[in-house]
Amino acid sequence: MIKIKKISNKKLNELFNKNKGILKTNQLKESGFSDREIKKLLINGRINKIKRGYYEIKNNIYSEDVIIAKLFPEAIIYLESALFQYKYIDRVPFETQIAVNKNNEKSKYKINYPLIKIFYIEPKILQIGIDFYEKMGMKIKIFDRDKTICDVIRYRNKIDTEIFRKSIKSYINDKNKNLRNLELYGKKLNIQNKIDKYIGVWL
């Protein structure tokens, strides 16, 4: 059995890094840690509990979106968090906003860290415009920039006015925007008239 006092920070870091910064209880046990030793790691502040059965190492080097993708592979980076990823806004959202299937069990998303804001979405809408980006070896789901701007328009009354204006302007000036996708998504989401109102006049 591994003794806590003999486990170096380097070795503990290596163990967590092999698993993208997150380990489950059973993974720690498979690596030789008993329940008592896991508890000691928590008490000594060498690991932190994220939620029941999931742990991260102290001073975790992994970013919040990577941790979220590790915990919830089905989650999609959404709204203001997606806007920040695309550099449409420069203010980091207080909570990472994610979209998930509205039929998923809601209790699974109760975590201590990172802070998340969840949007429960209809499955058919959830499949529109999914893209990916890679970060620290993790593939992270995100809505593409055209679907993201559609979501911004759909949630016009729930988004800060300055964020709305800035994101619309950034999208219009974005050389990577895809107007065919924007039109397609607009029709699927039944918001084509709103797209014409907020974006069409500038194109």
Side-chain angles (χ1 to χ4, degrees), residues 83 88 149-150 152-153 156 162-174 198-199 202:
L83 291 172
Y88 284 4
I149 216 65
C150 285
V152 167
I153 292 172
R156 168 70 180 86
E162 183 58 30
I163 288 178
F164 179 81
R165 291 174 179 171
K166 191 164 187 176
S167 60
I168 294 294
K169 183 178 180 181
S170 296
Y171 178 78
I172 291 168
N173 294 327
D174 189 351
Y198 294 113
I199 296 179
W202 300 102

Side-chain angles (χ1 to χ4, degrees), residues 13-169:
N13 278 323
E14 288 175 351
L15 181 59
F16 274 85
N17 286 339
K18 285 180 182 178
N19 292 275
K20 302 295 185 296
I22 303 292
L23 282 172
K24 298 179 182 179
T25 302
N26 66 320
Q27 291 174 310
L28 282 167
K29 288 183 176 180
E30 287 171 2
S31 297
F33 292 91
S34 66
D35 287 329
R36 181 171 174 270
E37 289 170 325
I38 294 172
K39 186 175 181 180
K40 281 188 177 180
L41 287 173
L42 285 166
I43 292 172
N44 294 337
R46 297 181 69 185
I47 64 173
N48 301 315
K49 183 177 180 180
I50 296 178
K51 69 171 188 172
R52 184 179 178 84
Y54 288 80
Y55 305 91
E56 68 169 352
I57 196 165
K58 182 181 179 181
N59 300 323
N60 195 345
I61 64 171
Y62 290 87
S63 61
E64 294 183 4
D65 52 352
V66 171
I67 295 172
I68 290 168
K70 178 72 174 178
L71 291 173
F72 313 116
E74 76 284 1
I76 307 171
I77 301 298
Y78 194 51
L79 279 180
E80 292 181 32
S81 295
L83 291 172
F84 182 77
Q85 177 66 27
Y86 291 126
K87 296 182 171 56
Y88 284 4
I89 59 174
D90 50 22
R91 187 172 75 188
V92 181
F94 176 69
E95 303 165 303
T96 301
Q97 298 181 352
I98 59 175
V100 300
N101 190 319
K102 76 168 193 174
N103 298 318
N104 287 358
E105 176 57 50
K106 293 178 175 55
S107 62
K108 70 180 287 188
Y109 300 107
K110 293 181 179 180
I111 57 177
N112 298 328
Y113 174 84
L115 296 176
I116 57 176
K117 183 175 182 178
I118 306 165
F119 293 79
Y120 295 96
I121 309 296
E122 290 281 352
K124 64 179 181 180
I125 294 179
L126 203 61
Q127 300 306 312
I128 300 173
I130 294 178
D131 202 355
F132 299 88
Y133 64 95
E134 289 194 13
K135 191 172 184 180
M136 304 183 80
M138 180 66 69
K139 204 170 185 180
I140 303 171
K141 285 185 178 181
I142 187 173
F143 286 115
D144 66 30
R145 58 198 71 216
D146 312 295
K147 171 58 165 51
T148 294
I149 216 65
C150 285
D151 292 327
V152 167
I153 292 172
R154 289 174 68 215
Y155 285 91
R156 168 70 180 86
N157 297 326
K158 296 182 179 180
I159 293 177
D160 178 83
T161 300
E162 183 58 30
I163 288 178
F164 179 81
R165 291 174 179 171
K166 191 164 187 176
S167 60
I168 294 294
K169 183 178 180 181

